[in-house]
Amino acid sequence: METMPCHNQQLGTAGAPRPEELPPPPPPVAGTGSACGSTRLIRFAEPGPGGGSSDSPSPDSSSSSNNGSSNGVLPLLPPVSSPQQLLLIGSQLKLLPMNDQIRELQTIIRDKTASRGDFVFSADRLIRLVVEEGLNQLPYTECTVTTPTGYKYEGVKFEKGNCGVSIMRSGEAMEQGLRDCCRSIRIGKILIQSDEETQRAKVYYAKFPPDIYRRKVLLMYPILSTGNTVIEAVKVLIEHGVQPSVIILLSLFSTPHGAKSIIQEFPEITILTTEVHPVAPTHFGQKYFGTD
């Protein structure tokens, strides 16, 4: 029997230079990235007079004068995405693999000129990606099924005993994405607001499935800014018998301070997000529900 030619062989012409003979590629230019494996930098423009949004950093006059920039553009703020930086926060922090699709959705969500329709559509898509990855963190068991043609197929199925908990109000934006993936999943709710006098997070309402202490919990909160709200929510879950090790926090954006505060308080919790950056789009809840 003749052997089939290998299609993975490298094709080339006679006399072509070998890879080791090729000149090294030029060094990357600051602020840009190559096609693969590099981290892109995000530039935030300085808000104009009377403008600006809640997720824009305040200008630093000293840094502007030191850099000598007069075009009204703030210095680049690189995302905290390198393995070394993430390990400083904690190994329980997990990021979705970055690609152009996710970056585009993040861009639309951050754009203050985006229409509410585009914002909600992009947010729902990003939520679905986070929920799908969150389900990958749940335990499963192997099983064998019979196909319509009579063959046996060895597959997997998720173990029973999962539930979702949304932190109201912005966390409710993620409920539909979870239901789209798990039709019959039970979802609890927690209402936490800051006290007007002490500015501390205070729990006003909590409703869970009666056997939540036996379940794996997908805690939903899209924006992690300070982390105080999530910390209070986890404390409530612990009071109902839930161990932090079975809690998976699903979020879209997180600041380094917010993620670090949560992991320092609960080292066994798992945080899943799309980006860790010093500037979080804190306008998310207002724009998603149309109250901005």
Side-chain angles (χ1 to χ4, degrees):
M1 179 182 295
E2 295 183 359
T3 58
M4 296 296 292
C6 178
H7 294 283
N8 294 330
Q9 293 178 349
Q10 184 175 1
L11 302 180
T13 58
R18 297 180 179 178
E20 59 269 16
E21 297 175 350
L22 295 176
V29 182
T32 62
S34 58
C36 54
S38 62
T39 301
R40 299 181 181 178
L41 304 183
I42 304 177
R43 181 184 297 274
F44 288 89
E46 183 177 358
S53 60
S54 59
D55 69 333
S56 299
S58 57
D60 188 350
S61 58
S62 60
S63 61
S64 300
S65 59
N66 293 337
N67 295 335
S69 60
S70 58
N71 55 359
V73 177
L74 293 178
L76 296 178
L77 296 177
V80 183
S81 57
S82 67
Q84 294 79 6
Q85 291 171 315
L86 294 178
L87 285 176
L88 294 177
I89 298 177
S91 60
Q92 294 300 97
L93 175 63
K94 302 180 185 298
L95 286 179
L96 265 69
M98 181 54 62
N99 53 48
D100 288 338
Q101 177 184 206
I102 293 180
R103 180 63 74 202
E104 181 193 22
L105 298 177
Q106 293 173 340
T107 302
I108 296 174
I109 292 174
R110 288 185 179 275
D111 186 3
K112 69 176 183 180
T113 65
S115 65
R116 181 171 178 266
D118 291 342
F119 180 93
V120 173
F121 180 78
S122 301
D124 287 341
R125 287 184 59 196
L126 194 60
I127 289 171
R128 180 64 177 266
L129 294 174
V130 173
V131 169
E132 294 280 8
E133 184 59 32
L135 295 177
N136 287 333
Q137 308 297 321
L138 297 177
Y140 63 87
T141 57
E142 297 181 353
C143 66
T144 302
V145 297
T146 303
T147 68
T149 56
Y151 287 93
K152 300 294 184 181
Y153 178 80
E154 296 181 357
V156 298
K157 62 179 179 180
F158 285 110
E159 294 182 357
K160 295 183 179 180
N162 305 313
C163 74
V165 173
S166 64
I167 302 178
M168 303 164 64
R169 179 183 187 197
S170 59
E172 293 177 306
M174 307 180 72
E175 290 183 5
Q176 187 59 46
L178 180 58
R179 287 194 176 99
D180 289 341
C181 301
C182 305
R183 291 178 298 176
S184 59
I185 192 169
R186 297 186 179 184
I187 297 180
K189 294 178 182 290
I190 303 178
L191 175 59
I192 300 176
Q193 294 180 346
S194 298
D195 187 89
E196 296 182 356
E197 298 180 357
T198 62
Q199 298 301 318
R200 297 184 61 182
K202 183 178 179 181
V203 179
Y204 286 87
Y205 175 82
K207 183 67 174 180
F208 308 125
D211 59 345
I212 190 173
Y213 60 91
R214 299 178 180 176
R215 298 175 179 266
K216 309 291 189 303
V217 177
L218 296 173
L219 184 61
M220 297 173 286
Y221 197 60
I223 309 298
L224 303 182
S225 182
T226 63
N228 294 335
T229 300
V230 173
I231 290 175
E232 292 300 322
V234 175
K235 289 181 180 179
V236 175
L237 290 172
I238 293 176
E239 292 175 357
H240 285 74
V242 180
Q243 298 298 320
S245 59
V246 301
I247 299 176
I248 301 174
L249 175 60
L250 306 181
S251 70
L252 303 184
F253 300 88
S254 175
T255 64
H257 172 74
K260 190 173 183 178
S261 299
I262 296 171
I263 293 179
Q264 285 181 342
E265 187 76 17
F266 308 105
E268 296 179 345
I269 195 173
T270 299
I271 300 178
L272 180 63
T273 186
T274 70
E275 184 181 67
V276 178
H277 197 281
V279 182
T282 53
H283 66 290
F284 180 90
Q286 290 82 358
K287 191 158 187 175
Y288 188 93
F289 294 106
T291 57
D292 52 344

